[in-house]
Amino acid sequence: MFVLVEMVDTVRIPPWQFERKLNDSIAEELNKKLANKVVYNVGLCICLFDITKLEDAYVFPGDGASHTKVHFRYVVFHPFLDEVLIGKIKGCSPEGVHVSLGFFDDILIPPESLQQPAKFDEAEQVWVWEYETEEGAHDLYMDTSEEIRFRVVDESFVDTSPTGPSAAEATSSSEELPRKEAPYTLVGSISEPGLGLLSWWTSN
């Protein structure tokens, strides 16, 4: 679920931080820049693990700050495909079951990846597994805040870097706001025994 990623960046330290230890100032700047941010095709950055190398620092004309090229390792949230995780249901919609890990919310289990047969209850706004038994079908509801075990089956990265307006956007109505896409999304599945709500598989 968490991996160590080797990174390289040039860190700018302003003059008023020169009295501090260089490593402490660099660590603070790296965490300001990366913590809780998604790096494209890398994952969600959590915190600095360690600094492995500091190159020479330079001060450029017109800028009193120092600029240091830093080699470091960062703790990143990036589950591997087929990894099994446990989260909580954040909500349900016709698009599927939305799951949260507490620190990461962009997880979707689409309808075709639920335990089958499944149906969406419009009145309750929840997905229901119509569990078949010898006595007939039992409706098992996927309620909000319930703990759920799922398998990671896909991931999606979206480059959300700022760009200029396209020709299509320039001609569209200024009142229409573009849909904000999540920079990093996981797709889960519970379509196998042992996956789904923990309460389904807990013996009484």
Side-chain angles (χ1 to χ4, degrees), residues 36-110:
N36 206 31
K37 304 288 194 310
V38 171
V39 176
Y40 187 67
N41 282 341
V42 174
L44 175 66
C45 294
I46 304 298
C47 65
L48 179 69
F49 183 75
D50 63 5
I51 295 172
T52 57
K53 182 182 178 183
L54 292 176
E55 298 191 12
D56 292 338
Y58 296 91
V59 176
F60 297 107
D63 183 4
S66 68
H67 299 258
T68 308
K69 190 172 183 179
V70 184
H71 300 250
F72 58 97
R73 293 187 295 177
Y74 218 88
V75 179
V76 173
F77 171 70
H78 189 175
F80 57 83
L81 296 184
D82 286 332
E83 185 171 358
V84 175
L85 304 176
I86 295 177
K88 284 189 176 182
I89 296 176
K90 189 173 72 168
C92 294
S93 71
E95 288 75 36
V97 177
H98 303 270
V99 179
S100 171
L101 296 177
F103 62 92
F104 184 77
D105 292 341
D106 297 311
I107 304 169
L108 176 68
I109 304 173

